[in-house]
Amino acid sequence: MTERLYYEHSYLTEFDAVVTDCVAQDGTYRVRLNRSAFYPTSGGQPFDTGVLGGASVTNVEVIDGDVWHTLSAPLRVGETVHGVIDWARRFDHMQQHAADHMIAGALHHLMRGVTIGLHISADISTIDVAMPDGRTHLTPDEIETIELYVNERVQRDVPVRCWFPDKEELKTLPLRKEPTVSEHVRVVAIGDDEMVACGGTHPASAGQLGLVKILNTAPARGLMRLSFVAGMRAFRDYRLCHAAAHQAAALCSTAVDQLPAALQTLQERLQAAEATVAKLRREGFDQTAHMWLAETVGSPRVIVKTVLADANVLKELASRLIAAQGVIALLRAEGDDSTPIVFARSQDLPVDMNRILREAAKRFGGRGGGKPDFVQGVATAQTLQEAEGLVREALYGNAL
Ligand SMILES: [Zn+2]
């Protein structure tokens, strides 16, 4: 069995060990040592990376109770090799792992919540918690209470102790929950009110966590999933939020603490402005439709227009025009080549607008469709002209 050096020495970054096995597998090499400071993925804490005997360590895992290192190059069995841990990665994991214990301890102490699992990802960490009343959220006040409880202990720099108690001592320890293993139980205590069985690596004292911040809580598989950051992750999050808040405050010409009120005022003004614009648009459409109807002679009236507008405006105008009796509206948006069109007619006219568009588009380009009295699509200027001819032919016959 590999001696796990990180149990006793979580700050050990370099070590020498003898290679006991080296197995080639899928272009990589799996290596076992007589001793190792590399942490294998377990208990929610990801594996360490680094260099072993000159080769990159790309994975470390526990297989059948022993530690196996995945390497980019083979090592000779029997050889003594030097290992170097990527300390920035490991220390970050130590900070997140200890923060997990402290948050879990606070949740248990203050709210009788039972933490089930830890997951440390690249940016944030999460724990899943079974709350006594089955809740899947904490209120902002509760989050603040948990954060204060944890950070007060970080500020006091309470000690972190990891050790293997014997069976007698283990029985007397106030562990937060039952150990999942029965042999060689390792215990991690943080301060005087948090103690749990754990095989992970932790800083020597809570002050090294710097800052612990809960990001949010959300339901996950019937439990409450709590996301948090600690150490440099918390610092980076604070820096990001600080910069974003100050930029937003500058844009609103206000102070950071006035931002929510300023944004609410802006939102209300925007809603009022949108309502005014919508009203003006409606009035504008009504006026335009009225004007076009008034200036068009004949019965039925054929209104052909190319306007600076989008498809929605064409639709609005067309529906107003055909609300009157005996009207055919052929509307096209300004522009070269194919632009949006709406061909529509009043209910009392028998012309199939689908046919008009199809036949006109066949010769001069375009496509679209809809109901017999209202079609939308895209078409060229010549298609519009052709459609007008087809409509007049349908309405007045070839004689005209
Ligand atoms: Zn742990």
Side-chain angles (χ1 to χ4, degrees), residues 48-116:
D48 289 340
T49 56
V51 178
L52 185 60
S56 298
V57 178
T58 56
N59 191 17
V60 188
E61 55 195 325
V62 176
I63 301 171
D64 294 332
D66 221 346
V67 179
W68 287 84
H69 311 72
T70 303
L71 300 188
S72 56
L75 299 182
R76 234 184 23 247
V77 172
E79 186 182 20
T80 297
V81 289
H82 189 65
V84 181
I85 311 283
D86 177 341
W87 179 245
R89 175 180 162 95
R90 156 69 88 71
F91 187 62
D92 169 59
H93 292 164
M94 285 161 59
Q95 289 175 313
Q96 310 313 314
H97 199 151
D100 151 54
H101 284 218
M102 294 184 77
I103 295 170
L107 281 166
H108 189 256
H109 197 77
L110 300 174
M111 306 175 75
R112 311 316 298 168
V114 176
T115 299
I116 313 288

Side-chain angles (χ1 to χ4, degrees), residues 43 97 100-101 118 196-200 202:
H97 199 151
D100 151 54
H101 284 218
L118 162 70
V196 75
C198 174
H202 293 267

Side-chain angles (χ1 to χ4, degrees), residues 13 42 102 122 140:
T13 59
S42 50
M102 294 184 77

Side-chain angles (χ1 to χ4, degrees), residues 279-295:
K279 184 168 166 282
L280 289 174
R281 273 171 68 99
R282 278 196 306 276
E283 286 171 6
F285 292 148
D286 288 345
Q287 276 169 17
T288 306
H290 187 78
M291 193 175 75
W292 287 351
L293 284 167
E295 72 186 17

Side-chain angles (χ1 to χ4, degrees), residues 158-176:
V158 299
V160 179
R161 184 181 165 221
C162 308
W163 80 106
F164 287 92
D166 60 31
K167 283 219 160 78
E168 286 311 304
E169 186 191 2
L170 185 62
K171 274 187 231 162
T172 67
L173 296 175
L175 298 185
R176 170 156 51 80

